[in-house]
Amino acid sequence: MTERKLPAHLHPDTLAQRTAVDKSQYGENSEALYLTSSFVQPSAEIAARRFAQEEEGYTYTRVGNPTVTSMERRLAALEGTEAAIATSTGMAAILLLGMGLLRTGDHVVCSQSVFGSTMRLFSGEFGKFGIETSYVSQTDVAAWRAAIRPTTKLLFAETPTNPLTDVCDIQALADLAHNVGALLAVDNCFCSPALQQPRRFGADFIIHSGTKYLDGQGRVMAGAICCDQRYVDEVFLPINRTAGMVLAPFNAWVVLKGMETLGIRMQAQSERALAVAQWLQTHPQVGRVYYPGLASHPQHALAMRQQSASGKGSGAAVVSFDVKGSDSASLRRNAFAVIDAALVSSITTNLGDTKTTISHPASTSHGRLTEAQRQAAGIGQGLIRLAVGLDHIDDLKTDLARGLDLLP
Ligand SMILES: *Cc1c(COP(=O)(O)O)cnc(C)c1O
């Protein structure tokens, strides 16, 4: 079947529908799911050339699979990078990043507000191999600069952060890294490429947990690194085809379908998040509201500039807020009461789902920190995190008011 070639310079909405490997001989409109562990070779001679990497062609799914390739190409098209390499989970993508870039004696500077497992991976696991990580304040560029050593190879940031939605200046960190011959990786989970493309601001590696907004309906786990083709070919693929942290074809297919609605979901979920945040600000039982889309957010202007891949600034879809209370015990009691009174929002720590989720960071996602560490991070017992989905805004307000209105 002759393939029609896609025109150059399509909009992200269109790329999200169309970017994939060529269709099979059947001309399926929805991309095929190649649920196979290996690929039959036309001849022994061709098999030999493919295994020697002298000829293109799929051999074994740990090495490559067309459904996974489609997902990688679609994500790279949305992020504006040359290439992407998919992994089994978001954490596997960060593990692959470290395995590819870091050696014994190397140093990493990382935001102190990154995903908890990311910290444990850097300090606990990479630490075993003599790689040191320094943690600095997310928003303090001077602190990042001061932490740099002659051995610094990588800067790692996540923006906005979970759960307090602090926003860092990607361009400033990229300039800092590149001035000292280091590289910048940005975890782009919270915004997704629909709202923020870190490559535009100089990031070398964009990390994804496809488990979140790329899938968008909380069904599968997936991850990826988006970067230049040469890093995929020379650094990451040789490791992943050996180490096997590959994305399963079925999961790749689910994420591929998820990305088709990514732009419109991010837009709709962000609009709902802004409406909830504005409403929470007016509630007498609510203290501070953390949401980059609010003018009161300390990095509001930066967020509106940086999170504007859709054409206008967006605060993304995670909103956190403090309930009021007199001491630590009453704050926790009040937060639990609000969470337990919610009948629509799911009590779970996952985010990126079209079903709104509600959680208490201090006792769940950040429960392993000491009370002192939590206080330093600003995560109090009264803090509630909402990952706003596609539930109707009036139902979400009613759901929260049910608990808030009863607080003492
Ligand atoms: C969930 C998450 C990860 C880890 O992704 P998994 O797919 O759960 O391994 C990494 N970074 C951020 C910001 C996340 O929210």
Side-chain angles (χ1 to χ4, degrees), residues 89-91 94 115 118 158 187 189-190 209 211-212 221-222 351:
T89 65
M91 289 318 301
I94 303 175
F115 192 61
T118 304
E158 178 187 316
D187 183 330
C189 257
F190 266 56
S209 166
T211 315
K212 310 293 166 55
M221 306 212 65
L351 62 96

Side-chain angles (χ1 to χ4, degrees), residues 41-262:
Q41 304 302 307
S43 71
E45 186 58 40
I46 292 175
R49 286 207 295 273
R50 286 181 180 171
F51 275 83
Q53 292 175 263
E54 292 161 7
E55 179 179 311
E56 293 227 346
Y58 292 99
T59 54
Y60 190 58
T61 284
R62 173 154 45 73
V63 180
N65 176 290
T67 310
V68 178
T69 308
S70 288
M71 180 270 181
E72 292 168 335
R73 288 190 187 164
R74 189 167 289 179
L75 179 58
L78 295 182
E79 279 292 1
T81 56
E82 284 174 7
I85 181 163
T87 53
S88 51
T89 65
M91 289 318 301
I94 303 175
L95 176 59
L96 181 61
L97 180 85
M99 286 177 77
L101 301 179
L102 303 172
R103 303 287 177 269
T104 299
D106 285 348
H107 176 246
V108 178
V109 186
C110 184
S111 158
Q112 68 193 8
S113 321
V114 293
F115 192 61
S117 298
T118 304
M119 278 192 183
R120 285 190 286 280
L121 184 62
F122 277 118
S123 297
E125 305 308 322
F126 294 156
K128 287 180 196 163
F129 299 95
I131 294 157
E132 263 193 83
T133 303
S134 307
Y135 296 96
V136 295
S137 158
Q138 166 85 352
T139 53
D140 183 355
V141 181
W144 287 79
R145 187 178 299 111
I148 287 183
R149 303 176 190 172
T151 51
T152 303
K153 288 283 152 55
L154 181 68
L155 273 58
F156 191 101
E158 178 187 316
T159 183
T161 58
N162 179 25
L164 295 176
T165 73
D166 290 331
V167 174
C168 70
D169 186 335
I170 299 173
Q171 183 74 61
L173 296 184
D175 291 347
L176 188 59
H178 298 155
N179 280 339
V180 296
L183 297 161
L184 173 66
V186 174
D187 183 330
N188 200 26
C189 257
F190 266 56
C191 279
S192 91
L195 303 182
Q196 172 172 274
Q197 294 169 306
R199 175 48 61 95
R200 282 186 13 204
F201 307 103
D204 300 285
F205 306 100
I206 296 104
I207 301 294
H208 273 289
S209 166
T211 315
K212 310 293 166 55
Y213 293 101
L214 301 183
D215 166 10
Q217 294 185 47
R219 299 165 292 195
V220 298
M221 306 212 65
I225 306 173
C226 302
C227 56
D228 290 348
Q229 186 72 50
R230 71 190 162 98
Y231 278 109
V232 170
D233 295 345
E234 295 164 25
V235 179
F236 300 128
L237 185 58
I239 297 172
N240 217 25
R241 64 194 294 168
T242 306
M245 302 179 284
V246 295
L247 182 59
F250 178 76
N251 292 6
W253 184 81
V254 171
V255 173
L256 192 68
K257 297 291 108 186
M259 280 192 278
E260 293 173 0
T261 55
L262 177 67

Side-chain angles (χ1 to χ4, degrees), residues 250-288:
F250 178 76
N251 292 6
W253 184 81
V254 171
V255 173
L256 192 68
K257 297 291 108 186
M259 280 192 278
E260 293 173 0
T261 55
L262 177 67
I264 202 152
R265 275 189 284 111
M266 290 311 296
Q267 187 189 329
Q269 291 178 231
S270 304
E271 281 167 13
R272 284 164 172 74
L274 176 61
V276 171
Q278 285 168 336
W279 175 79
L280 281 167
Q281 273 192 317
T282 66
H283 198 287
Q285 292 299 337
V286 171
R288 217 170 131 185

